[in-house]
């Protein structure tokens, strides 16, 4: 991927991460059989001197608010914040806590995993949608699109980004925890008969919940969406499996746990999701006990 023109700076929190970045020579991206070095500059958050005009927040959902708090003195009313997290919950929290800034979401189903720190494998061509969360219904903001890798990631403008977030949320609720329980690549949720049967039943419950939840838009059929994402990212390990294997916190409080919270608020039963969360927790504990390396 050739990132191209705009001046980009990676903001890091820890001095040892910056040192590793310098030793690694920046980001290394592997696509098919090609490796590309992207030697973008990096600095520690404490070293920022100038106001930030465009902030891409590429953290996990649970790290988003602390990451924003760490740079808040460098944001002004002209700063645009682009969020790349799974789920829906943290996006609303950011919008509420940063009313001065325009908040955008980039929702993507591209598959990617870290081979080692700062070495990223692009493991599946997905979709990418960008939209303004603060002011829904906006026409395409071309200047923002040109600052992002629009062509390389095939980013399309979305006037109703909230609907896309719900759509992706449903797909992540169907795939991510299940891939941890079966400890498998995305494709295997379609090819292993036991996993596939569970996927279908789970999709059915997620779809029924989305239909019944007052705040959710009418869902597209969840199983066909999940299947096409799994096919497109067949060789990928879901982000939740990567986190679980590496002993990191996962985004489950923002995925199936959040879905169950919404269901409970609306007095809707969600037995499959509840059981999934229990099995997921057992599996994560087992993975932690035997700490397996990153795929
Ligand atoms: O979003 C993903 C993730 O892993 O979090 C998918 C689309 C499932 C790709 O693995």
């Amino acid at each position: 991927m050739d990132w191209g023109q705009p001046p980009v700076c990676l903001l890091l929190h820890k001095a040892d991460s910056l040192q590793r970045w310098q030793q690694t020579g920046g980001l290394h991206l592997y696509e098919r059989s090609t490796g590309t070095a992207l030697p973008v500059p990096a600095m520690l958050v404490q070293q920022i001197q100038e106001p930030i005009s465009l902030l891409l927040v590429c953290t996990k959902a649970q790290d988003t608010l602390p990451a924003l708090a760490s740079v808040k003195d460098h944001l002004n009313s002209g700063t645009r914040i682009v969020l790349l997290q799974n789920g829906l919950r943290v996006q609303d929290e950011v919008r509420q806590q940063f009313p001065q800034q325009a908040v955008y979401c980039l929702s993507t189903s591209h598959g990617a995993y870290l081979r080692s720190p700062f070495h990223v494998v692009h493991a599946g061509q997905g979709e990418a949608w960008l939209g303004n969360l603060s002011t829904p219904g906006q026409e395409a903001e071309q200047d923002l699109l040109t600052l992002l890798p629009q062509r390389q990631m095939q980013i399309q403008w979305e006037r109703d980004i909230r609907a896309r977030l719900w759509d992706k949320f449903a797909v992540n609720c169907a795939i991510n925890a299940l891939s941890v329980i079966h400890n498998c690549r995305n494709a295997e949720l379609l090819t292993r008969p036991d996993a596939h049967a569970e996927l279908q039943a789970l999709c059915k419950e997620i779809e029924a919940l989305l239909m019944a939840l007052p705040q959710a838009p009418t869902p597209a059929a969840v199983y066909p969406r999940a299947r096409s994402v799994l096919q497109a990212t067949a060789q990928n390990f879901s982000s939740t499996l990567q986190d679980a294997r590496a002993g990191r916190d996962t985004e489950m409080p923002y995925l199936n746990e959040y879905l169950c919270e919404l269901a409970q608020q609306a007095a809707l039963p969600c037995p499959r999701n509840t059981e999934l969360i229990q099995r997921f927790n057992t599996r994560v504990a087992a993975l932690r006990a035997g700490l397996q390396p990153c795929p």
Side-chain angles (χ1 to χ4, degrees):
M1 191 181 290
D2 148 37
W3 180 284
Q5 3 66 25
V8 182
C9 183
L10 179 71
L11 298 174
L12 295 165
H13 282 98
K14 296 190 200 132
D16 57 340
S17 301
L18 182 60
Q19 203 182 7
R20 190 180 276 169
W21 175 265
Q22 283 154 352
Q23 284 160 356
T24 315
L27 183 73
H28 297 261
L29 182 66
Y30 303 90
E31 287 183 293
R32 293 169 215 102
S33 50
T34 318
T36 316
L38 298 167
V40 295
M43 66 166 80
L44 293 175
V45 163
Q46 303 86 285
Q47 296 170 321
I48 306 174
Q49 304 277 347
E50 311 209 341
I52 299 170
S53 57
L54 174 61
L55 182 69
L56 301 189
V57 189
C58 307
T59 59
K60 294 280 163 186
Q62 61 272 21
D63 301 322
T64 302
L65 290 172
L68 277 161
S70 73
V71 297
K72 77 172 185 328
D73 293 344
H74 307 284
L75 309 182
N76 57 34
S77 57
T79 306
R80 296 193 276 191
I81 299 175
V82 179
L83 302 175
L84 283 104
Q85 290 65 31
N86 279 331
L88 305 146
R89 175 186 245 169
V90 78
Q91 291 79 350
D92 281 331
E93 290 169 349
V94 172
R95 201 172 43 85
Q96 280 153 19
Q97 294 188 27
F98 292 84
Q100 304 286 317
Q101 284 75 34
V103 178
Y104 299 80
C105 295
L106 180 55
S107 175
T108 174
S109 56
H110 282 275
Y113 64 87
L114 278 181
R115 182 181 281 175
S116 57
F118 305 129
H119 289 262
V120 181
V121 181
H122 185 207
Q125 188 66 30
E127 298 175 321
W129 302 93
L130 177 72
N132 190 324
L133 189 69
S134 307
T135 319
Q138 294 277 96
E139 292 300 330
E141 296 181 39
Q142 209 50 53
D143 63 324
L144 180 56
L145 282 165
T146 51
L147 287 169
L148 297 170
Q150 182 184 10
R151 183 177 51 80
Q152 300 87 336
M153 281 185 73
Q154 296 174 5
I155 304 174
Q156 300 176 59
W157 183 260
E158 173 58 80
R159 291 170 60 144
D160 185 3
I161 194 66
R162 178 166 285 284
R164 290 278 172 197
L165 293 179
W166 274 99
D167 190 39
K168 177 80 195 313
F169 173 65
V171 167
N172 285 125
C173 287
I175 295 176
N176 290 36
L178 207 55
S179 74
V180 175
I181 291 167
H182 291 276
N183 195 16
C184 67
R185 285 187 198 264
N186 285 355
E188 292 171 75
L189 294 184
L190 296 173
T191 56
R192 289 190 192 181
D194 53 340
H196 187 224
E198 283 181 55
L199 175 75
Q200 285 175 304
L202 185 61
C203 286
K204 231 177 173 173
E205 183 174 289
I206 295 168
E207 193 175 310
L209 287 170
L210 263 56
M211 298 249 224
L213 283 171
Q215 59 274 64
T218 313
V222 176
Y223 174 71
R225 282 284 299 132
R227 188 183 51 203
S228 79
V229 169
L230 288 167
Q231 284 164 343
T233 61
Q235 290 313 307
N236 199 40
F237 295 96
S238 81
S239 55
T240 308
L241 179 54
Q242 293 177 54
D243 289 337
R245 284 183 174 181
R248 295 187 292 259
D249 286 344
T250 74
E251 288 186 320
M252 278 302 274
Y254 298 83
L255 299 177
N256 304 73
E257 287 181 24
Y258 186 48
L259 181 61
C260 286
E261 268 176 59
L262 295 176
Q264 270 150 25
Q265 283 161 18
L268 299 166
C270 51
R272 285 203 177 270
N273 279 276
T274 307
E275 194 222 352
L276 182 88
I277 294 166
Q278 282 159 2
R279 287 165 64 212
F280 171 84
N281 289 337
T282 308
R283 186 73 187 149
V284 168
L287 280 173
R288 293 232 162 113
L291 265 187
Q292 299 199 11
C294 221

